[in-house]
Amino acid sequence: MAFPRRRGLRRVAVIPAVAGLVLAAACSAGESGHGPGVSSQPCPGSAHPDRGCLYLGVLSDLADGPFSPLGSSMNEGQLAFWKQVNESGGIGGYDIDITTHSRNTSLDPGRHRSGYLEIEPHVLALAMSFGTSQTIAMLNQMDADDMVSTAATQWSGWNYRSADRNLVLSAGYSYCTEAVMGLDWFAENHYAPTNIAVVSYRGNYGGDYASGALKWALANGATIADRIDTGPNGEVGNQDGPVQEVLAADPDLVMLATGPAETAEIVGKLVRAGFTGRFLGSLPTWNAALNQTPAAPALAARYNYMTPVDSWTGDSVGAQKARNATDHEPSNFGYSLGWAISYPLKALLTEAAERGELTRAGLRRAAEGLKPDGEGIVAIHPVGSDAPDLSKEWTVVFQPDDSAPMGARPVAVGYQGSTLPRLGLHEPCTRL
């Protein structure tokens, strides 16, 4: 992509400072003969003047949105990951920059779209696209732009070429299979649920999780007592409606696919109203700040949540590297998640560089059959495959504990369960 020719362009030679700014902007945009996001000039602030720069974009809930604590912590993990890559030699003669073209979307679809259109001319790929529906809404544009992206969501469609068009890189399990493995663990360690209520955000996140719960129930002789759609409090006001629906359904287990604020409200109000069952939550339902809410005692006693990555104190090579890359304990597990989901894009950039194809189209071609190594911190499916290898998926189960790192302690690591292999999943659990 080239900038349009401007009248009087030769005259800028009399204003060297302006000329320098034009050149810097062009390099940031990748306009140095390499294509978008690839510059022969060093990254801003780089300690390696002999290297060029690969600019990656970030579209995330970094402030003012329902998942801002998670999004900002994931961004911290990604920054640490790429800093470690740069300090270890970079990729193909380039350092990686994910700061210059980072935009806060607050999980707002309009801001996500405008942010994408703003940074698209200047980046090689997206290091982060936060939000399932937000990313799905951009797939047609991403397809036209050959824009590969890392997903900050666990929608099951990212594991199927028919759904993600070989554009979205993911790591770990889906919300759907998270629910399946979570229910297996729950039945083994607490009690076999027979009447389950699912409270979830409307859309692909909540729909995928609820679909997994239904599949588990059908395979294990249980009943879904109620499927209750809700939204963030900033959208719906409060969770009084879902709380009343749960009480009316009288389940023995409540599964949650909401945000942390809604989780604390639902758990706290249900326990105060006399609900005696337990709660099982998807990975976005937790934040350590919940230990400081009135719901903290109920959460500590009756709630577990799950993640697809090794714990902060884990023994895997990836977990050790993530710990060593920072001088402080992160605010929540999003740091480890941001670190873990960066492995596929690193592998893809490395493969494309080795092929001499550091272009958007080159990245898309290099994705075919790529098998990234997650260094034990996360399970990664082969990139570009028609379907995931479900036998490779595992989860870590946590229990709130204010004395533990990031406010929770792992009670099961690498858990898989027995139901998932029996389901024979061959397509996304929810469709676009």
Side-chain angles (χ1 to χ4, degrees):
M1 171 181 162
F3 288 123
R5 185 178 299 277
R6 298 181 181 180
R7 294 175 183 172
L9 186 61
R10 292 179 182 176
R11 290 185 176 180
V12 300
V14 300
I15 311 176
V18 174
L21 290 174
V22 172
L23 177 60
C27 291
S28 172
E31 301 299 332
S32 54
H34 298 286
V38 182
S39 173
S40 59
Q41 300 299 310
C43 294
S46 172
H48 310 115
D50 57 330
R51 298 182 199 163
C53 189
L54 302 181
Y55 290 93
L56 306 179
V58 170
L59 300 170
S60 186
D61 184 0
L62 301 175
D64 307 318
F67 294 112
S68 297
L70 176 62
S72 58
S73 187
M74 289 180 71
N75 190 60
E76 183 184 356
Q78 288 202 300
L79 286 167
F81 181 92
W82 294 110
K83 181 175 184 288
Q84 187 262 345
V85 169
N86 292 342
E87 291 175 349
S88 299
I91 295 176
Y94 297 89
D95 280 341
I96 313 300
D97 177 292
I98 71 165
T99 302
T100 301
H101 302 294
S102 176
R103 300 293 184 271
N104 172 42
T105 67
S106 299
L107 206 67
D108 178 83
R111 293 182 68 175
H112 191 101
R113 174 173 288 277
S114 62
Y116 177 91
L117 295 176
E118 181 182 346
I119 68 175
E120 178 274 323
H122 312 297
V123 298
L124 175 61
L126 297 181
M128 175 70 72
S129 180
F130 196 108
T132 303
S133 61
Q134 289 80 359
T135 305
I136 290 172
M138 296 305 301
L139 274 180
N140 285 340
Q141 186 66 52
M142 291 167 62
D143 194 6
D145 296 333
D146 282 327
M147 185 71 77
V148 173
S149 173
T150 295
T153 80
Q154 306 300 127
W155 176 52
S156 58
W158 303 144
N159 291 329
Y160 296 86
R161 187 192 309 209
S162 62
D164 78 348
R165 310 184 201 181
N166 223 17
L167 287 168
V168 183
L169 306 174
S170 63
Y173 51 57
S174 69
Y175 298 124
C176 178
T177 57
E178 175 186 57
V180 174
M181 289 186 289
L183 282 164
D184 273 345
W185 175 85
F186 187 91
E188 289 179 16
N189 291 274
H190 290 296
Y191 51 84
T194 59
N195 203 33
I196 304 167
V198 183
V199 183
S200 58
Y201 280 178
R202 61 183 66 88
N204 296 91
Y205 161 38
D208 221 46
Y209 192 75
S211 177
L214 176 60
K215 292 177 187 301
W216 185 92
L218 290 172
N220 291 278
T223 299
I224 299 296
D226 203 354
R227 157 79 190 279
I228 304 163
D229 284 341
T230 189
N233 282 342
E235 174 188 328
V236 301
N238 59 58
Q239 301 300 312
D240 288 347
V243 167
Q244 292 305 312
E245 286 192 57
V246 170
L247 291 172
D250 193 27
D252 54 9
L253 170 65
V254 176
M255 300 183 70
L256 299 167
T258 63
E262 296 75 34
T263 293
E265 181 181 349
I266 291 167
V267 171
K269 287 181 175 179
L270 280 172
V271 171
R272 287 196 297 272
F275 176 70
T276 59
R278 292 189 63 91
F279 303 87
L280 184 64
S282 178
L283 71 92
T285 61
W286 173 252
N287 186 284
L290 298 193
N291 284 328
Q292 311 308 317
T293 67
L299 288 164
R302 301 202 213 168
Y303 160 86
N304 296 101
Y305 73 93
M306 309 168 67
T307 78
V309 302
D310 196 5
S311 69
W312 173 249
T313 56
D315 296 327
S316 66
V317 172
Q320 294 178 50
K321 286 185 176 180
R323 285 197 302 273
N324 292 338
T326 181
D327 58 1
H328 64 277
E329 182 182 304
S331 59
N332 63 62
F333 74 91
Y335 173 91
S336 296
L337 185 59
W339 179 284
I341 66 173
S342 301
Y343 282 101
L345 186 52
K346 177 193 174 187
L348 186 57
L349 292 171
T350 301
E351 176 68 18
E354 291 175 353
R355 295 184 179 194
E357 289 192 306
L358 275 174
T359 64
R360 291 182 188 167
L363 290 184
R364 209 167 177 181
R365 286 190 293 269
E368 292 287 340
L370 191 66
K371 296 180 179 179
D373 177 12
E375 296 189 313
I377 193 173
V378 68
I380 304 176
H381 298 292
V383 178
S385 58
D386 291 325
D389 181 358
L390 299 179
S391 68
K392 303 294 186 184
E393 295 191 355
W394 50 264
T395 186
V396 181
V397 184
F398 286 86
Q399 179 172 327
D401 182 344
D402 201 27
S403 66
M406 289 172 279
R409 57 183 171 85
V411 295
V413 178
Y415 179 84
Q416 292 185 298
S418 60
T419 300
L420 196 55
R422 296 191 280 122
L423 295 182
L425 300 178
H426 301 294
E427 61 182 4
C429 296
T430 55
R431 283 292 182 177
L432 304 182

